[in-house]
Amino acid sequence: MSITIKSHREIELMRHAGKLLGKTLEQLEKAVKPGMSTWELNKIGDDIIKGYDCIPSFLNYNGYPASICISVNDEVVHGIPKKEVILQEGDIVSIDAGLIYQGYHADAARTVPVGEISENAEKLIQVTKQSFFEGIKYAKQGNHLFEISKAIGAYAESFGYGVVRSLIGHGIGSRLHEDPQIPNFKQRRRGPKIESGMTFAIEPMINEGTWRVYWLDDDWTVCTEDGLLSAHYENTVLITDGEPEILTLL
């Protein structure tokens, strides 16, 4: 495992990439409404990213056919936007986006309501988001990587939720996926020591029921095995000498 330590220049580029992605997600969240297609939402995101003179990280990445991953209800991640998939009142939709600014990636995700949603759905969204913040309490120089994983999993599981095991967070920088891999559940070992200058994409994927998932025939879309809801929350995070810096939060 080789975890890159970013230079001052690289950090500044990633800060700017993160700021632009944060703005992109903020606009996409506001755009979500009943009756729109996931294809339309993808088009909005693609236009915003390219309008910032950036490149969508996901478009054609390992063959992925869109700029934004849009996953609805029981879809965990990597949902492919389609004209025939129409968002309905009461749905929840996970929007996962990435962009490249001057050779450096930012990656982040939000799960948002479509109109009025159930209390159960709202609780899942909020717990998933908070599990991220429980995790990054340990994203500090001198701690060990899997302390983050343990904290995320323990918080989500305390509500009886399933923590997805087949998909995990990752390092990020000049490549979308770098070392290390960052699970969202407790590991047997403590993992590598965290150092200032490391950059991580930390992304809890939390299911209302079982943690088990399966892939659709499109080879991309991941769904919960029991058909219950899933939520996703992600940010690109910089390790500093003090508190972690969340690059994709405005």
Side-chain angles (χ1 to χ4, degrees):
M1 182 186 298
S2 177
I3 306 175
T4 60
I5 305 296
K6 307 305 188 294
S7 68
H8 176 75
R9 173 184 170 276
E10 289 176 310
I11 288 169
E12 286 306 311
L13 290 172
M14 290 191 69
R15 277 198 180 108
H16 195 68
K19 183 178 180 180
L20 294 177
L21 185 57
K23 289 181 177 180
T24 301
L25 282 168
E26 187 175 68
Q27 292 175 78
L28 284 170
E29 287 184 64
K30 290 177 180 177
V32 170
K33 61 183 178 182
M36 77 184 308
S37 69
T38 56
W39 181 89
E40 183 182 352
L41 193 58
N42 173 75
K43 180 67 167 59
I44 293 168
D46 183 75
D47 288 345
I48 293 169
I49 290 170
K50 291 175 179 174
Y52 288 138
D53 291 326
C54 294
I55 300 168
S57 296
F58 301 163
L59 184 60
N60 300 318
Y61 182 80
N62 291 335
Y64 185 76
S67 296
I68 313 293
C69 295
I70 304 175
S71 308
V72 183
N73 294 333
D74 65 322
E75 296 174 348
V76 181
V77 285
H78 304 158
I80 298 174
K82 296 177 181 176
K83 291 182 179 179
E84 62 268 26
V85 177
I86 306 300
L87 298 178
Q88 306 289 336
E89 181 91 15
D91 287 343
I92 64 173
V93 57
S94 297
I95 304 168
D96 188 1
L99 61 74
I100 309 168
Y101 171 75
Q102 294 189 20
Y104 284 83
H105 292 264
D107 187 6
R110 309 282 185 263
T111 299
V112 298
V114 182
E116 294 293 321
I117 63 172
S118 69
E119 288 184 11
N120 285 347
E122 183 62 40
K123 181 181 177 183
L124 177 65
I125 291 172
Q126 293 307 319
V127 169
T128 302
K129 179 178 179 179
Q130 186 58 36
S131 71
F132 166 87
F133 288 99
E134 294 298 318
I136 67 161
K137 290 177 182 178
Y138 298 90
K140 297 179 181 179
Q141 180 169 252
N143 286 348
H144 289 262
L145 184 69
F146 295 152
E147 293 176 70
I148 299 172
S149 304
K150 179 181 178 182
I152 290 171
Y155 183 78
E157 288 172 350
S158 73
F159 291 87
Y161 293 143
V163 180
V164 175
R165 284 160 164 68
S166 307
L167 302 144
I168 57 181
H170 51 91
I172 187 169
S174 60
R175 290 175 291 130
L176 178 59
H177 293 103
E178 298 183 351
D179 284 337
Q181 296 185 340
I182 309 172
N184 296 305
F185 51 95
K186 184 179 179 180
Q187 302 296 293
R188 291 183 179 180
R189 295 188 172 90
R190 293 192 300 168
K193 190 168 283 190
I194 299 170
E195 297 180 36
S196 178
M198 292 179 174
T199 45
F200 302 144
I202 299 172
E203 50 177 323
M205 289 158 272
I206 310 299
N207 297 344
E208 188 177 19
T210 180
W211 58 266
R212 297 182 186 276
V213 300
Y214 70 98
W215 273 253
L216 295 184
D217 290 342
D218 62 20
D219 292 329
W220 281 106
T221 310
V222 181
C223 298
T224 61
E225 193 175 85
D226 56 13
L228 296 180
L229 297 176
S230 184
H232 185 199
Y233 187 83
E234 175 185 18
N235 282 299
T236 299
V237 176
L238 168 68
I239 305 302
T240 72
D241 294 336
E243 294 296 318
E245 184 178 340
I246 305 174
L247 302 182
T248 45
L249 271 185
L250 299 180

